[in-house]
Amino acid sequence: MSQSATPELQTSRLPTALVNQDPSVAASDARKRKQLSRLFFWLCVAIASISVIVLAVLLISIGVQGHSRLSADLIANSHSELEPETSGMRPAIIGSLFVCGVCGLVALPLGIGTAIFLEEFKPTSKLLRGLHGFIQLNIANLAGVPSIVFGLLGLTVFVYMFNVFGLIQVNKPGGWEWFGAKHYYQVLSLEPGQTILIPQSDLDKPTIKIEGPVEAVDADGNRFEVRTWDRKSGPKPADKATRMRTVKQGAVGGSYSQRSWYYFRLPFGKSFLAAGLTLSLVILPVIIIAAQEALRSVPPSLREASLGLGATQWQTTRDVSLPAALPGIMTGAILALGRAIGEAAPVLVVLGAAIAKNSGPQNLMDSVVTMPVLIFNWAGRPQAVYQEVAAAAIIVLLIVLLALNSVAIYVRNKVQSY
């Protein structure tokens, strides 16, 4: 009796419009929903196809324009004003890798650590929860700030450091030099083409005039006494070793600095270190947000099980949450670093538009040329040859970007398999 009454009871609870619905109207509505669904599907396909077609047209256009300049010279040579046909981008490739290396070394641990703190160690008090929400809101807003703003911030903070340590001036030691630099006066000896290095005691004195014997250093750092020679005293010394340690009476020497690869000073000036730190500011919000989303995707049951077994919050984060979220975190990091290697505006603000450099950085405070800046310079020139090498440089930039992304994806998959 009760089993036969159950369907009637359920039917009575349905809305009247559904119970008394005309079958033909229901079929018509179902057909309309299917048509809308099919229309939406094809709309998505059309939008995706347009994006792919535009991308393909751009790639084909760049390939047609720049394929003739894809040669070994483009990779091995540096920029040349006299011979643009043989201009290359070797210093720019090295410079971009150094800048992105600094950017990744700073932004990845800082961004992932911030995401872990904000997501896994949320405060419980009302005041700290408000502060947590304020920080979260600012990070979300920073992700949408134009990169040129970060470039101006990096110029103020990293390049000049608010002028706290003094300005960096051309050919003059500036700021606060910590280590890695030796300053000398460079004076011509009597031996043609040979110079003598005299230790510079007063950094504010740019030149020195040799009026008598002074102490100098040789190429091995050994100290010796420099002799002076005057025409009135007789002919020049005949011995080559003596001529190499003798200068003319009254010879003037200019300041000269030897810098090791670990040369470090404050402020950073227009160095690749300042450019890398500025780019790290650009991608830091993206990494934080991507890492937070990856941590949120970890099922809460995993954390609850770990905490239920007696693990601490840090142990749960280290052994449960972080390994589960690592693929998502690395995906966000790959996208962020891909953005960093193609950024031109903040690098232009920090390093300037100079491209006349024949090598990569020689020390931590050295400037570099990056691929986006070089492409920006070449693309702005009216000569057809520069338009072609700019297109070829874009292809090289894409290849480098794909290579870096491939390595990162490979590392992510290897980590995920453990």
Side-chain angles (χ1 to χ4, degrees), residues 322-323 326-327 330 408-418:
L322 198 55
L326 198 55
M330 293 201 67
I409 292 171
Y410 174 78
V411 173
R412 182 192 65 183
N413 293 338
K414 292 292 288 184
V415 172
Q416 191 176 4
S417 63
Y418 291 144

Side-chain angles (χ1 to χ4, degrees), residues 135-154 278-286 289 339 343 345-346:
I135 294 173
Q136 191 70 50
L137 178 63
N138 279 279
I139 290 174
N141 290 332
L142 285 174
V145 172
S147 58
I148 187 71
V149 177
F150 287 105
L152 295 173
L153 179 64
T278 303
L279 280 183
S280 69
L281 294 180
V282 176
I283 67 171
L284 190 59
V286 179
I289 293 174
R339 177 186 174 184
E343 280 287 352

Side-chain angles (χ1 to χ4, degrees), residues 99-323:
V99 171
C100 288
V102 172
C103 173
L105 288 176
V106 174
L108 288 180
L110 195 59
I112 296 173
T114 304
I116 291 174
F117 174 74
L118 293 176
E119 199 62 30
E120 298 293 330
F121 298 91
K122 292 180 180 178
T124 55
S125 67
K126 185 177 180 181
L127 177 62
L128 292 179
R129 282 205 307 273
L131 181 61
H132 179 276
F134 179 74
I135 294 173
Q136 191 70 50
L137 178 63
N138 279 279
I139 290 174
N141 290 332
L142 285 174
V145 172
S147 58
I148 187 71
V149 177
F150 287 105
L152 295 173
L153 179 64
L155 184 71
T156 305
V157 176
F158 301 123
V159 176
Y160 297 118
M161 291 186 175
F162 308 101
N163 292 339
V164 172
F165 299 98
L167 290 174
I168 302 295
Q169 300 181 23
V170 178
N171 296 329
K172 282 186 66 176
W176 185 12
E177 293 183 326
W178 281 29
F179 43 76
K182 295 179 181 178
H183 303 287
Y184 302 97
Y185 292 113
Q186 196 171 30
V187 187
L188 287 173
S189 68
L190 294 183
E191 181 66 20
Q194 301 295 322
T195 59
I196 293 176
L197 298 179
I198 300 171
Q200 185 178 6
S201 56
D202 186 2
L203 299 182
D204 294 330
K205 188 178 178 182
T207 60
I208 187 174
K209 188 173 183 179
I210 309 299
E211 297 291 355
V214 294
E215 191 176 58
V217 295
D218 58 16
D220 298 327
N222 300 318
R223 292 182 177 270
F224 65 92
E225 188 178 75
V226 178
R227 299 176 182 176
T228 59
W229 170 79
D230 192 352
R231 293 180 183 275
K232 298 177 182 177
S233 62
K236 292 181 180 179
D239 182 47
K240 181 179 178 181
T242 305
R243 288 201 305 270
M244 292 180 65
R245 298 191 172 200
T246 306
V247 301
K248 289 182 180 179
Q249 181 76 26
V252 176
S255 60
Y256 166 75
S257 298
Q258 283 184 347
R259 296 187 174 96
S260 305
W261 68 267
Y262 52 85
Y263 169 59
F264 187 81
R265 72 168 181 232
L266 293 175
F268 295 150
K270 294 181 179 297
S271 62
F272 80 91
L273 195 60
L277 292 173
T278 303
L279 280 183
S280 69
L281 294 180
V282 176
I283 67 171
L284 190 59
V286 179
I287 293 178
I288 294 175
I289 293 174
Q292 281 188 283
E293 292 297 331
L295 289 169
R296 285 176 194 154
S297 65
V298 178
S301 58
L302 294 178
R303 296 187 181 88
E304 294 168 359
S306 176
L307 295 173
L309 292 173
T312 63
Q313 185 65 40
W314 162 238
Q315 289 173 327
T316 301
T317 301
R318 183 191 61 190
D319 299 328
V320 177
S321 303
L322 198 55

Side-chain angles (χ1 to χ4, degrees), residues 47-60:
I47 292 173
S49 300
I50 290 172
S51 303
V52 173
I53 291 172
V54 170
L55 180 61
V57 169
L58 289 175
L59 291 176
I60 292 173

